[in-house]
Amino acid sequence: MIIILKKQAEEAQINALKKEMTDQGLGIHESEGVNTRIIGLVGDTSVVDMRHIMANSIVENVQRIQEPYKKANRKFHPNDTVVDVSGVKIGGGNFQVIAGPCSIETKEQITEVANDVKNSGAGLLRGGAFKPRTSPYSFQGLHGDGLKLLLEAKKATGLPVVTEIMDASHLPLFEDVDLIQVGARNMQNFELLKELGKIDKPILLKRGLAATIEEWLMSAEYIMAGGNENVILCERGIRTYETATRNTLDLSAIPVIKKKSHLPVMVDPSHATGIREMVEPLSLAAIAAGADGLMVEVHNDPAKALCDGPQSLTPEQFDSMMNKVNKTRQFFETL
Ligand SMILES: [Mn+2]
C-alpha cells in the first residue's frame, strides 16, 4: 500500500502518521520526488483501513498494491483448491453438475427429479427449503420439512445434497447437508459468513447481484478467515441495465477469478438468464470459459413449479443438455 502525501504536509505530521503505521507492525519505505512525497507500507496491509488513512488531512491519496484478501488469493496458494463434497470433488480439473428443483415441494417431486438428474450424470442434488423470495407473499419453502425430504432423496440416490441457508440459527438443521449454499442476497451477510467459517462443511458462495469480484472474494475471505477453507464460488448473473434476461451472466468473472484466486468457480445459468432456452447455450459457454461446474434448475413439471418454473429444465431437456456438456468438455480437453 502506498500513501501519497500532500505537498504542504509538515514534518511533524508526517512523523505522526509514520508512527501510527509502525505501531501497527508495518515497515516504512519512503520516496521523495520533485512534487510528491510517498510513504510505502511494507508488511501485511490486509488489516489496514484505507479510508482511515484517507481521513488524515496530510494525505492526498492511498493506493493498494496488494489485494485485501489473503486466504482466497492465488499469490499465496498457487495450486487450484479441490473441494471434497462428501467424496465428490470440485475444482482443479474436477467438473461437477449440481441439478434439481428450485424448491423442494413434495417427496415425489424431489425423489423423482433426484433419480432423473442422477441418471443424466449430475454429481450433486440441489433443492431449496429456505427460499429468499422477493415478495413475502410468495412460497417461502418447506423449511425443516423440506430438508427432511431432501435428505430422503439423498438416501435414495446417494447424491450429496446442496441447499441454501438464510440464518445461522438454522445450522443445526443442516447437519446432514453436504454443501451449504449462501445465496446472492446473503453474500454480504457477514455475521452468517463468520458462523460458516467456524464449521468444516463446504460452502457454495453465490455472487451478490451487485457485487464486484473483489467484494465477492472478500466474502469468501470472511469464511476462510474463520478457518473453513472449503469454499466454492458460484457466478449467477449480476444486475445490469439489460432486461431481456433476469440477470446478466458475467462469464468474464471466471477467468478473472481463476487468475486472482485458487478457489473453484461454478456457474448457475438458470438464475442468470431466468429463461429455460438459454440454460444450455450458457452452460456450454461456461465450460469454454473455464468453469469448474454448473448448477442447473430441473423440475419434473416446470409449469406447476412453486418457484422459478420458467427457468427450470424438464428432466428430458437436462438429459439432452448433459450430452452436450460432456461432448463440450471432451472437446476442450483435447485442445
Ligand atoms: Mn431458483
Side-chain angles (χ1 to χ4, degrees):
M1 187 178 282
I2 58 170
I3 304 172
I4 300 148
L5 299 174
K6 284 183 181 160
K7 234 179 158 178
Q8 63 272 30
E10 285 169 19
E11 214 53 40
Q13 294 172 304
I14 296 170
N15 286 334
L17 176 62
K18 286 191 332 200
K19 183 171 185 309
E20 199 187 317
M21 295 299 122
T22 51
D23 284 351
Q24 290 187 53
L26 295 162
I28 299 281
H29 185 274
E30 281 191 84
S31 111
E32 204 165 342
V34 183
N35 293 311
T36 38
R37 190 159 165 187
I38 289 169
I39 296 175
L41 301 180
V42 185
D44 180 11
T45 55
S46 58
V47 294
V48 178
D49 182 353
M50 277 173 75
R51 294 181 58 79
H52 173 74
I53 300 174
M54 268 308 277
N56 190 313
S57 62
I58 62 164
V59 172
E60 178 75 43
N61 204 358
V62 185
Q63 283 172 7
R64 245 184 217 289
I65 306 297
Q66 207 160 51
E67 298 84 0
Y69 46 91
K70 270 170 73 182
K71 296 209 174 264
N73 200 325
R74 195 181 276 280
K75 271 184 202 151
F76 307 112
H77 189 299
N79 296 328
D80 286 342
T81 281
V82 178
V83 176
D84 189 316
V85 184
S86 306
V88 174
K89 292 187 167 63
I90 301 174
N94 301 284
F95 184 92
Q96 295 295 341
V97 177
I98 303 172
C102 181
S103 322
I104 302 150
E105 297 168 8
T106 62
K107 183 181 161 80
E108 294 67 38
Q109 174 241 20
I110 187 71
T111 313
E112 201 178 304
V113 176
N115 277 311
D116 286 341
V117 299
K118 186 189 178 184
N119 291 335
S120 300
L124 301 100
L125 173 68
R126 65 151 288 149
F130 292 90
K131 301 302 302 174
R133 304 303 299 278
T134 302
S135 165
Y137 309 116
S138 299
F139 176 58
Q140 303 286 308
L142 295 179
H143 295 181
D145 290 341
L147 289 180
K148 277 186 204 144
L149 297 179
L150 183 66
L151 294 173
E152 281 179 35
K154 168 183 169 174
K155 225 179 187 174
T157 56
L159 290 179
V161 293
V162 187
T163 194
E164 176 168 357
I165 193 163
M166 282 172 60
D167 194 295
S169 69
H170 298 152
L171 261 174
L173 293 171
F174 284 67
E175 207 135 289
D176 295 322
V177 169
D178 303 281
L179 176 58
I180 299 180
Q181 178 185 320
V182 175
R185 291 161 185 82
N186 267 319
M187 189 204 84
Q188 286 188 316
N189 181 342
F190 300 119
E191 291 304 317
L192 173 62
L193 300 178
K194 281 188 221 167
E195 287 304 314
L196 297 175
K198 293 177 190 163
I199 61 174
D200 56 7
K201 231 178 240 308
I203 309 295
L204 183 71
L205 179 65
K206 286 201 157 190
R207 182 180 184 179
L209 42 162
T212 64
I213 291 171
E214 185 167 293
E215 285 165 342
W216 188 14
L217 287 169
M218 288 305 284
S219 290
E221 191 79 11
Y222 258 93
I223 300 167
M224 299 174 86
N228 185 357
E229 306 206 348
N230 299 307
V231 179
I232 302 166
L233 301 164
C234 183
E235 161 64 36
R236 47 79 71 201
I238 50 173
R239 178 156 291 180
T240 68
Y241 51 80
E242 185 52 70
T243 54
T245 48
R246 184 174 174 179
N247 293 285
T248 297
L249 181 59
D250 181 13
L251 282 178
S252 60
I254 302 164
V256 173
I257 293 282
K258 290 280 163 197
K259 188 173 174 203
K260 292 183 176 292
S261 179
H262 51 88
L263 296 174
V265 55
M266 300 184 86
V267 166
D268 171 354
S270 305
H271 290 90
T273 61
I275 303 163
R276 184 175 306 133
E277 292 72 30
M278 295 179 188
V279 171
E280 181 182 290
L282 288 173
S283 292
L284 305 184
I287 295 168
D292 295 296
L294 300 166
M295 170 133 105
V296 177
E297 284 188 345
V298 180
H299 197 285
N300 52 346
D301 189 0
K304 293 209 180 90
L306 294 179
C307 181
D308 286 349
Q311 68 195 32
S312 297
L313 302 182
T314 62
E316 296 72 36
Q317 288 166 334
F318 178 69
D319 192 67
S320 141
M321 184 192 96
M322 283 299 282
N323 242 316
K324 294 186 192 168
V325 161
N326 291 332
K327 284 183 187 149
T328 307
R329 287 195 52 233
Q330 282 161 13
F331 171 72
F332 278 97
E333 272 163 18
T334 63
L335 293 182

